[in-house]
Amino acid sequence: MNQFQYARPSKPQAAIRAVAKDANAQFIAGGTNLVDLMKRGVMTPQKLVDINRLPLNKIERQNNGLRLGALALNSAVADDKLVRERQPLLVQALNAGASAQLRNMATVGGNMLQRTRCPYFYDTTMPCNKRAPGTGCGALEGINRMHAIFGFSDKCIAVHPSDMSVALVALDATVLVSGPQGDRRIPFADFHRLPGDTPQKDTNLERGELITAVDIPDAPFTRHVSYYKVRERASYAFALVSAAAALELDGNTIKAARLALGGVAHKPWRLTAAEQVLVGKPATEATFRQAAEVAMQGAKAFKYNEYKLKLAPNTLVQALKTATAA
Ligand SMILES: Cc1cc2nc3c(=O)[nH]c(=O)nc-3n(C[C@H](O)[C@H](O)[C@H](O)COP(=O)(O)OP(=O)(O)OC[C@H]3O[C@@H](n4cnc5c(N)ncnc54)[C@H](O)[C@@H]3O)c2cc1C
């Protein structure tokens, strides 16, 4: 690992200033992703600004919703009484991620900003436009079974690995950010980016911007929810495909729906057109299949990930069936 400087400020403004003024500085929270990447030489910050002393770990009621501090631990959020009562979809998504030990270190902000698990990104002997812009994409013609079927470009076909973010995009969350230019709010759906010509940029955050919290509005999705994750082992594995489904039912009729897929794109993939298909219809498998067909419009596979063209709609239908039965 390269040598680096280390600072641990206790005020958000000091942390923001430290990263804003130094192109080689980076925030560190739980460190469960960043330290791995540093050990492998994938990321080489020369200064780490440890944010764990900042007062950003509260989970509270705020403006008809829940506010999760950026430093709230994944395990603390999943165990919180308010979150369990009001946002069970988020609880399911969090508990589907990583392992208990990792969730005890991982934070809300760090989870959203974890980097892709594309093996070409991790292997510094291979080309990767995300790690080293301009070197090419090893996955395009390589082993691409974990890769995207939506929204990719010829520069990058990686997927975003976070489970929590799939639930948050479905639940219309908003990201609260503080930076050198002040505070701003970013709708969760606009937070992560598609790769386009700049796959090195995962999100729309500017240099020095610190995530301070995530707001989730109250919604009637407290019962009929499901986060359904398909992976190669039951724990400690990233999604091949995952689906978040939240339904408001009146008897067997769907009044409202929120849907998103994980493991299919460079960002958590919200399915607004498929949600519209569901509204006013009976909660049956036939309806769910119609929505899944709409959800898959525009999907395209590579040599080794064609299975996702079937797995993704089936996962979505399964999530909808599980949510209905909940
Ligand atoms: C073996 C293994 C299995 C895993 N399986 C899964 C899985 O199945 N599902 C899943 O979702 N995740 C999984 N993970 C990933 C894990 O969830 C992430 O490593 C974790 O959420 C990152 O959070 P952190 O606080 O440790 O982030 P860090 O490693 O500290 O930081 C990650 C990035 O976020 C930035 N950052 C952190 N906080 C802020 C902030 N407040 N503002 C601005 N920038 C910030 C850092 O600069 C860094 O770039 C797995 C990890 C491992 C090691």
Side-chain angles (χ1 to χ4, degrees):
M1 198 178 338
N2 288 350
Q3 294 219 337
F4 56 87
Q5 292 179 340
Y6 176 80
R8 194 159 46 161
S10 51
K11 297 219 164 60
Q13 281 314 320
I16 290 164
R17 267 198 309 274
V19 173
K21 71 174 188 211
D22 183 348
N24 294 310
Q26 211 164 337
F27 298 122
I28 184 163
T32 60
N33 189 219
L34 183 53
V35 174
D36 266 2
L37 291 166
M38 289 170 67
K39 285 188 201 159
R40 290 165 183 251
V42 176
M43 293 178 82
T44 51
Q46 285 161 23
K47 182 170 192 172
L48 289 185
V49 178
D50 183 338
I51 58 175
N52 284 291
R53 281 196 183 155
L54 307 184
L56 298 175
N57 66 353
K58 277 201 195 134
I59 301 167
E60 57 192 349
R61 290 285 298 151
Q62 189 79 245
N63 306 333
N64 299 323
L66 283 183
R67 176 163 293 178
L68 313 177
L71 287 172
L73 298 176
N74 286 184
S75 54
V77 177
D79 287 345
D80 186 85
K81 189 166 176 283
L82 278 174
V83 182
R84 294 180 79 84
E85 275 168 16
R86 292 175 181 269
Q87 299 296 352
L89 179 65
L90 177 61
V91 173
Q92 288 184 25
L94 282 165
N95 285 335
S99 66
Q101 293 92 331
L102 283 158
R103 294 194 294 272
N104 279 337
M105 288 299 291
T107 62
V108 167
N111 189 314
M112 292 158 54
L113 291 176
Q114 62 176 292
R115 311 289 319 263
T116 183
R117 292 281 159 169
C118 174
Y120 297 92
F121 175 73
Y122 268 79
D123 185 343
T124 53
T125 66
M126 297 299 290
C128 172
N129 287 320
K130 183 180 277 300
R131 174 174 34 77
T135 56
C137 172
L140 260 180
E141 303 293 332
I143 304 299
N144 44 36
R145 56 186 292 278
M146 297 291 287
H147 290 74
I149 53 172
F150 292 111
F152 48 80
S153 72
D154 61 354
K155 302 285 188 299
C156 179
I157 62 171
V159 298
H160 194 264
S162 162
D163 289 297
M164 180 192 79
S165 297
V166 181
L168 288 176
V169 79
L171 293 167
D172 295 315
T174 302
V175 187
L176 278 65
V177 165
S178 287
Q181 315 298 332
D183 298 343
R184 63 184 182 121
R185 298 169 63 88
I186 309 174
F188 206 91
D190 299 334
F191 183 78
H192 296 94
R193 294 162 55 99
L194 291 179
D197 289 335
T198 51
Q200 68 274 23
K201 293 183 81 174
D202 292 345
T203 71
N204 286 313
L205 278 183
E206 302 292 343
R207 166 140 293 276
E209 281 190 319
L210 175 76
I211 301 171
T212 56
V214 172
D215 277 356
I216 316 173
D218 285 342
F221 308 114
T222 52
R223 190 166 153 217
H224 295 290
V225 300
S226 170
Y227 185 74
Y228 201 91
K229 177 174 174 178
V230 181
R231 49 187 153 175
E232 284 170 329
R233 358 169 243 265
S235 170
Y236 215 48
F238 291 90
L240 295 170
V241 171
S242 66
L247 296 174
E248 184 187 3
L249 294 178
D250 181 6
N252 194 40
T253 304
I254 301 167
K255 280 180 75 182
R258 297 287 184 276
L259 303 174
L261 288 173
V264 297
H266 197 259
K267 59 190 285 185
W269 197 246
R270 178 80 183 257
L271 301 170
T272 39
E275 291 167 9
Q276 291 312 311
V277 171
L278 295 173
V279 176
K281 303 238 175 64
T284 60
E285 176 154 356
T287 305
F288 301 155
R289 291 268 161 216
Q290 281 173 28
E293 204 178 308
V294 169
M296 292 306 292
Q297 280 168 9
K300 186 176 165 294
F302 293 88
K303 185 169 178 190
Y304 293 107
N305 70 350
E306 222 177 296
Y307 72 96
K308 287 195 181 186
L309 297 180
K310 278 195 178 160
L311 184 61
N314 286 344
T315 306
L316 183 62
V317 169
Q318 189 56 47
L320 282 161
K321 282 160 87 172
T322 312
T324 305

